Amino acid sequence: MNKEKSNINSMDKIISLCKRRGFIFPSAEIYGGLRSTYDYGPLGVELKNNIKKAWWRRMVQERQDVVGLDSAILTPEIVWQASGHLENFTDPLVECKKCHQRFRQDELEQRDSSFAKKRIQNDSLACPECGGELTQPQSFNLLMKTQLGVVEGKQDDAYLRGETCQGIYLNYLNIKDSMRLKMPFGIAQIGKAFRNEITPGNFIFRMREFEQMEMQYFVNPQEAKKYYKTWKDWTMDWYQEFIQQPKNLRWRQHEKDELAHYAKEAWDVEYKTPFDGWKEFAGVHNRGDWDLSRHSQFSKQDLSYMDLETKEKFIPWVQEVSMGVDRAMLMFLVDAYTEVETRSGDEDSKHETEVVLKLHPELAPIKIAILPLSKKEPLQKLAQQIFDDLKQNYKLDYDETTSIGKRYRRQDEIGTPYCLTIDFESLDDQAVTIRDRDTMQQERIKIAELKNYFQDKF
């Protein structure tokens, strides 16, 4: 029996796998790279797209009360004045006078409980990297600023959006009226956001350019509590559907002193990571009427809602589901990474340890690998025919190089749920062998039945 080892305890293995197998590359690597930015390779973009499709299908496609949006990334300065981000979207920053590294004050306080006491007493603060003296905390705004216009000195200030939800609030009236929506309803969006993070790091966990999946649900204030619980349950259910190790997933409520300026209540979905223990991967927030009230005030537009049945007029409260695409991808990679004792190939080609990426089939970048046992023309022809029959419905990989054991290992390592092997018997019995990634069980299936077989599997 093959013995599985415990969950991964080092990010180095994940990072190595991602680069070696074409999931994630450092951005601009040939020029030395750009810190905290990454490019998604052939398998990475498939996995990332599958995550977004899975979220969109359950959030929008399968519901009648949520619609979609794709709003602009560039936004005028007044949007962020109204949202409160120019005033409140800051992190206290300290800098080492010796090595000039910068740190977030709250992270240093988490590392060392005495840091806050020393700061209050104005004692010298030591750099955790080199021991040098740290400056006193200074506020640092996280929004990324740019200028619009072609004439130098006559440009208007604008910002790359720091969160995707503001575009939803700006289009609240347009969507409500054009789609004839009645309360309660939600607007969902997937898109890029940008933050000038002080301490990016931990691979794709904290970056300056990232992608969000967010939904804002507009409700009568009297029903806010009920719908907040509904969306908390939905969020946890979504993650649990795709992970292998639910023990590593939990809720954490924000204390009053850590709530964002817009939040009345906030809970984070946390996953136990190999790089820093429990870390936030998603949030569910009761934003109250902060956003629509502020935008109504700054834009001079009436964003209230009139209930035609009760004749009640009110500013809707917002219940927010906010998830990071990149963080979700990191969670699923860490969760799926499994090391097992050797199990594939003949004795000469076996390894002591093999990696199996046990991704949920819906998320796996490659669904089926087509593996002809020989490069001889009759098998190639049949294998190509099967590839052409299945390619409309599934992302496939065609591989005819090296031994079948090594090909199995390659597919296991990238998370392919099923390997389809064409051998010389296939020419006579018109059947192929299907190997399951997780159980390693093999079935002989007629070629004519493959579409129905995989339809049931997926």
Side-chain angles (χ1 to χ4, degrees):
M1 177 180 288
N2 297 308
K3 184 178 179 181
E4 293 187 3
K5 295 187 177 181
S6 59
N7 188 31
I8 184 172
N9 57 13
S10 170
M11 278 300 295
D12 292 340
K13 293 181 179 179
I14 289 287
I15 295 170
S16 174
L17 172 67
C18 284
K19 184 176 181 182
R20 186 175 71 255
R21 291 303 189 199
F23 283 93
I24 303 171
F25 307 125
S27 185
E29 186 177 21
I30 63 172
Y31 289 102
L34 180 62
R35 188 184 175 201
S36 83
T37 59
Y38 293 90
D39 300 330
Y40 289 82
L43 294 184
V45 72
E46 294 292 338
L47 175 55
K48 195 175 185 185
N49 283 340
N50 289 344
I51 292 170
K52 291 186 284 188
K53 288 175 186 176
W55 187 86
W56 194 264
R57 181 162 71 83
R58 288 158 181 78
M59 177 61 79
V60 180
Q61 183 177 332
E62 295 178 356
R63 302 185 64 95
Q64 294 179 300
D65 57 343
V66 179
V67 297
L69 173 70
D70 183 7
S71 65
I73 288 174
L74 288 171
T75 45
E77 185 176 43
I78 193 171
V79 170
W80 305 103
Q81 292 175 347
S83 71
H85 282 77
L86 286 181
E87 180 181 355
N88 299 298
F89 201 45
T90 58
D91 274 340
L93 163 73
V94 295
E95 182 175 344
C96 177
K97 295 179 180 179
K98 182 178 179 182
C99 69
H100 300 291
Q101 286 203 56
R102 295 177 174 180
F103 306 91
R104 283 171 49 179
Q105 174 188 318
D106 60 335
E107 291 184 347
L108 289 181
E109 289 177 356
Q110 289 175 8
R111 286 195 204 180
D112 182 359
S113 59
S114 66
F115 181 88
K117 183 178 180 180
K118 291 178 181 178
R119 179 174 55 81
I120 293 172
Q121 296 175 347
N122 289 322
D123 293 343
S124 296
L125 305 174
C127 172
E129 298 298 327
C130 72
E133 184 181 352
L134 296 177
T135 64
Q136 287 297 313
Q138 296 177 318
S139 292
F140 180 81
N141 195 280
L142 301 180
L143 290 177
M144 283 195 180
K145 191 174 184 179
T146 186
Q147 283 78 41
L148 301 180
V150 296
V151 179
E152 190 70 30
K154 296 183 179 181
Q155 298 163 318
D156 295 324
D157 289 340
Y159 289 85
L160 304 182
R161 64 188 182 198
E163 57 183 18
T164 60
C165 62
Q166 294 304 320
I168 292 176
Y169 305 136
L170 300 182
N171 284 282
Y172 160 77
L173 276 183
N174 288 333
I175 293 174
K176 178 178 71 68
D177 294 341
S178 63
M179 303 305 293
R180 298 178 294 121
L181 297 175
K182 292 184 178 181
M183 203 79 55
F185 65 86
I187 303 173
Q189 178 168 214
I190 300 175
K192 287 289 186 77
F194 304 83
R195 294 179 186 176
N196 202 10
E197 294 282 0
I198 299 168
T199 55
N202 293 321
F203 198 30
I204 60 172
F205 180 79
R206 189 183 300 279
M207 300 186 292
R208 294 187 173 103
E209 174 186 344
F210 54 96
E211 201 162 6
Q212 291 181 306
M213 305 180 290
E214 292 197 313
M215 191 281 304
Q216 314 299 309
Y217 202 70
F218 301 91
V219 304
N220 187 311
Q222 297 177 3
E223 298 183 307
K225 187 174 182 179
K226 175 181 72 173
Y227 285 112
Y228 186 71
K229 182 182 184 307
T230 296
W231 287 108
K232 268 190 68 183
D233 292 343
W234 185 97
T235 301
M236 184 59 74
D237 288 346
W238 188 82
Y239 281 109
Q240 288 183 334
E241 182 177 354
F242 297 109
I243 66 170
Q244 303 287 326
Q245 303 178 72
K247 69 179 186 298
N248 289 334
L249 204 61
R250 75 178 186 185
W251 281 113
R252 187 188 75 84
Q253 184 177 16
H254 284 210
E255 301 293 339
K256 287 186 177 180
D257 62 354
E258 63 175 326
L259 285 173
H261 62 276
Y262 52 75
K264 293 185 175 295
E265 185 175 0
W267 289 75
D268 287 342
V269 175
E270 294 188 331
Y271 189 87
K272 192 174 184 180
T273 69
F275 55 83
D276 200 18
W278 294 98
K279 301 295 289 184
E280 171 203 352
F281 280 79
V284 182
H285 311 118
N286 179 356
R287 298 179 71 118
D289 65 355
W290 167 270
D291 299 285
L292 292 188
S293 293
R294 294 276 293 189
H295 285 301
S296 185
Q297 173 190 343
F298 277 72
S299 68
K300 311 303 181 186
Q301 299 289 319
D302 184 5
L303 300 183
S304 59
Y305 179 86
M306 172 62 75
D307 190 318
L308 298 180
E309 295 181 2
T310 65
K311 306 303 180 185
E312 182 184 8
K313 187 176 183 180
F314 55 85
I315 293 288
W317 279 31
V318 174
Q319 312 306 302
E320 176 184 61
V321 174
S322 179
M323 301 162 133
V325 180
D326 311 271
R327 289 190 179 186
M329 181 167 168
L330 181 59
M331 177 197 291
F332 295 140
L333 286 169
V334 169
D335 183 81
Y337 186 97
T338 308
E339 292 182 349
V340 301
E341 292 181 357
T342 183
R343 65 179 201 168
S344 302
D346 54 42
E347 292 302 323
D348 292 334
S349 64
K350 285 184 177 181
H351 294 197
E352 290 185 6
T353 302
E354 297 177 13
V355 173
V356 182
L357 202 58
K358 293 190 173 182
L359 292 168
H360 189 284
E362 188 174 346
L363 304 183
I366 304 296
K367 307 301 185 190
I368 309 162
I370 310 296
L371 310 176
L373 206 56
S374 167
K375 294 182 180 181
K376 291 187 177 180
E377 193 270 340
L379 288 194
Q380 283 186 331
K381 184 177 179 180
L382 182 56
Q384 189 62 53
Q385 174 190 322
I386 294 172
F387 185 97
D388 292 340
D389 287 343
L390 295 175
K391 68 183 181 183
Q392 296 301 321
N393 297 316
Y394 308 103
K395 178 63 176 174
L396 309 174
D397 186 27
Y398 185 101
D399 189 356
E400 59 183 18
T401 61
T402 70
S403 70
I404 192 65
K406 290 181 179 179
R407 282 184 275 173
Y408 281 156
R409 283 203 301 273
R410 280 201 294 263
Q411 298 301 327
D412 288 345
E413 199 172 34
I414 65 174
T416 305
Y418 300 103
C419 289
L420 186 158
T421 303
I422 302 99
D423 53 35
F424 287 102
E425 290 183 18
S426 301
L427 300 174
D428 298 323
D429 64 7
Q430 289 296 295
V432 295
T433 300
I434 308 295
R435 173 188 179 270
D436 184 284
R437 176 195 67 201
D438 299 332
T439 67
M440 289 188 65
Q441 291 181 350
Q442 298 191 16
E443 296 182 76
R444 195 73 177 171
I445 304 296
K446 291 291 185 181
I447 294 173
E449 298 172 2
L450 285 175
K451 286 187 177 180
N452 289 335
Y453 175 87
F454 285 120
Q455 187 174 357
D456 290 340
K457 291 293 185 182
F458 287 107

